[in-house]
Amino acid sequence: MCRELMLQSDLLRHNDVGAAGLRQRFAAAGVRVVNLLSSPGSGKTALLEAICRQLGAQAEPPRMAVIVGDLATDNDAQRLRAAGLPAVAITTGQACHLESTMVEAGLHRLEHQGIALEQLDLLLIENVGNLVCPAAYDLGESLRLVLVSTTEGEDKPLKYAPIFHRADLVVISKIDLAEAVGFDRAAARAAITRVAPRAAVLETSARSGAGLDALVSALALPVPA
Amino acid sequence: MCRELMLQSDLLRHNDVGAAGLRQRFAAAGVRVVNLLSSPGSGKTALLEAICRQLGAQAEPPRMAVIVGDLATDNDAQRLRAAGLPAVAITTGQACHLESTMVEAGLHRLEHQGIALEQLDLLLIENVGNLVCPAAYDLGESLRLVLVSTTEGEDKPLKYAPIFHRADLVVISKIDLAEAVGFDRAAARAAITRVAPRAAVLETSARSGAGLDALVSALALPVPA
């Protein structure tokens, strides 16, 4: 109730305080946290399923869990659980992004399922499908991954620049469809470099498995002390 | 300044008043207005280009103009002008949707280019690419068209239901890619029917031209008195 009366800047400040607390918790637990952002339908869930398969094949797979944000439905969480990933869904209603308090609620629900943060190596947060709203909301993540698919067109980074500005890693997904949609790789990479000059860029296909090795390596980097 | 202090409900009320004014102006001018909504990269601009080609081939093509909303860049407006459509770009900065005042500004800029509302048969408003935020903002349109591409997956209507609730027409775009992406037509149509039971549903491909005749017919319906 009080919350509805807060202004946007207050909301962001409130979120940042919560995110700082989360970042401390994540660091203390030694867990790497990835905030996964994209348009609806860029393949966030498919990529998480593929990562799970790829990591599951390792001799000592990292212990993982997922918090999934969606306006409605827990379809994605169900898909991820079917893939063997512990996953909880946060339904945001009208809200077009996850906030740090929602991540706290997700952690709480994981705990209720017997999954404590300290037992995890990797926590994946699948944000609400949206290339605008989630940009300003820090979730305490150690890595911000923005996904953009070959089917969306090469100019999306320029048109939705704010969300790319803070990306650590940009993944071009559905690379298996590049030829079918006439994807211009050079133009896409130039657009990404312009708005996210420090971000690493990878190309992946959840379907063919292309690029998943490199992605898994990028996710497995140790948590900064 | 005052505006930043208004609450969300005040903003919506303010927008609705503006939209009612626009609707009156549109009706008085006898112009049909389409509010075109979708995720980034679903093919809004490509569809408008295709509509322009399709209508341009008619003996007496309707007189058209476009107002394009984007966070940044006027790429889409440039593409549309190259296709022969008078187009003005509204850059919204951080705002993830168009509001009625922005449409008023767009009309003003069209007038400055010598294009009065009374001279038009069809005004197309390409909203900011976003499946969440634009849902609540009426722009005075006579037809609300939501686009969802085959590459985005079949469950998007269920996950982003609010924007579909008020749709008059749902267009499944990039139907030429249906096979390549394993698109499940029945599942997609069931999802659309569930959240937008009264909406007409069409399948189109801006690339192959499939479905464009039906779409152009739907757009050419007379303005309700």
Side-chain angles (χ1 to χ4, degrees):
Chain A
M1 217 170 66
C2 167
R3 186 158 154 207
E4 287 168 16
L5 294 173
M6 281 198 284
L7 302 173
Q8 173 77 358
S9 62
D10 285 334
L11 274 174
L12 279 177
R13 209 172 305 130
H14 183 250
N15 181 76
D16 282 347
V17 171
L22 282 173
R23 189 164 279 113
Q24 284 184 340
R25 280 181 70 185
F26 295 151
V31 62
R32 187 164 179 79
V33 180
V34 180
N35 184 3
L36 183 54
L37 304 152
S38 83
S39 293
S42 302
K44 291 184 291 303
T45 311
L47 195 72
L48 292 179
E49 290 169 327
I51 288 170
C52 179
R53 281 195 303 272
Q54 194 82 0
L55 286 171
Q58 293 185 351
E60 280 189 62
R63 296 160 300 175
M64 294 177 281
V66 189
I67 295 173
V68 188
D70 257 318
L71 264 63
T73 86
D74 66 342
N75 291 4
D76 292 347
Q78 285 186 36
R79 278 174 63 186
L80 293 166
R81 283 194 289 266
L85 273 171
V88 293
I90 303 289
T91 47
T92 62
Q94 300 288 324
C96 49
H97 57 267
L98 285 175
E99 297 176 16
S100 53
T101 51
M102 299 174 186
V103 173
E104 282 164 25
L107 293 174
H108 204 65
R109 289 179 51 198
L110 282 172
E111 270 167 34
H112 268 269
Q113 297 181 16
I115 300 164
L117 203 50
E118 291 70 22
Q119 300 166 345
L120 295 175
D121 301 305
L122 185 60
L123 175 68
L124 301 149
I125 303 173
E126 182 180 333
N127 219 310
V128 178
N130 200 302
L131 267 192
V132 184
C133 317
Y137 288 84
D138 183 8
L139 302 180
E141 68 267 16
S142 30
L143 188 106
R144 182 173 279 218
L145 194 169
V146 180
L147 200 67
V148 61
S149 70
T150 54
T151 60
E152 290 169 57
E154 299 81 5
D155 64 347
K156 293 303 165 288
L158 303 179
K159 292 172 72 179
Y160 301 90
I163 209 159
F164 287 87
H165 285 331
R166 288 167 65 182
D168 301 297
L169 176 60
V170 176
V171 169
I172 302 171
S173 63
K174 308 191 190 181
I175 199 70
D176 57 300
L177 292 174
E179 203 173 331
V181 299
F183 179 69
D184 182 338
R185 175 179 274 113
R189 284 190 169 255
I192 294 167
T193 304
R194 194 157 141 203
V195 293
R198 287 171 308 175
V201 183
L202 292 175
E203 298 175 5
T204 65
S205 166
R207 190 188 280 185
S208 75
L212 292 180
D213 273 338
L215 176 58
V216 158
S217 300
L219 296 184
L221 295 172
V223 179
Chain B
M1 215 169 69
C2 167
R3 188 159 152 202
E4 286 167 18
L5 293 172
M6 280 197 285
L7 302 173
Q8 174 77 357
S9 62
D10 285 334
L11 274 175
L12 279 176
R13 211 171 305 130
H14 183 249
N15 182 76
D16 282 348
V17 172
L22 282 174
R23 190 164 277 116
Q24 284 184 339
R25 279 182 70 186
F26 295 151
V31 62
R32 187 163 180 80
V33 181
V34 179
N35 184 3
L36 182 54
L37 303 152
S38 83
S39 293
S42 300
K44 292 184 289 304
T45 311
L47 195 72
L48 291 180
E49 289 169 328
I51 288 170
C52 179
R53 280 195 302 272
Q54 194 81 2
L55 286 171
Q58 294 185 349
E60 280 188 61
R63 297 159 299 175
M64 295 178 280
V66 189
I67 295 173
V68 187
D70 257 317
L71 264 65
T73 85
D74 66 341
N75 292 3
D76 292 348
Q78 284 184 38
R79 277 174 63 185
L80 293 166
R81 282 193 290 265
L85 272 171
V88 293
I90 303 288
T91 48
T92 62
Q94 301 288 323
C96 50
H97 57 266
L98 284 175
E99 299 177 14
S100 54
T101 50
M102 298 174 188
V103 173
E104 282 164 26
L107 293 175
H108 204 66
R109 289 179 51 199
L110 281 172
E111 269 166 35
H112 267 269
Q113 297 180 17
I115 299 164
L117 202 52
E118 291 70 22
Q119 300 166 345
L120 295 176
D121 300 305
L122 185 60
L123 175 68
L124 301 150
I125 303 173
E126 182 180 333
N127 219 309
V128 178
N130 200 302
L131 267 191
V132 184
C133 318
Y137 288 84
D138 183 9
L139 302 180
E141 68 265 17
S142 29
L143 188 107
R144 181 173 280 218
L145 193 169
V146 180
L147 201 66
V148 60
S149 70
T150 54
T151 61
E152 290 168 59
E154 299 80 5
D155 65 346
K156 294 303 165 289
L158 303 179
K159 293 173 70 179
Y160 301 89
I163 210 161
F164 287 87
H165 285 330
R166 288 167 66 183
D168 302 297
L169 174 61
V170 175
V171 169
I172 302 172
S173 63
K174 307 189 189 183
I175 199 69
D176 56 301
L177 293 173
E179 204 174 330
V181 299
F183 180 70
D184 182 339
R185 175 179 275 112
R189 283 189 170 256
I192 293 167
T193 304
R194 196 158 139 202
V195 293
R198 287 172 308 175
V201 183
L202 292 175
E203 299 175 5
T204 64
S205 166
R207 191 188 278 184
S208 75
L212 291 180
D213 272 339
L215 176 59
V216 158
S217 299
L219 296 184
L221 294 173
V223 179

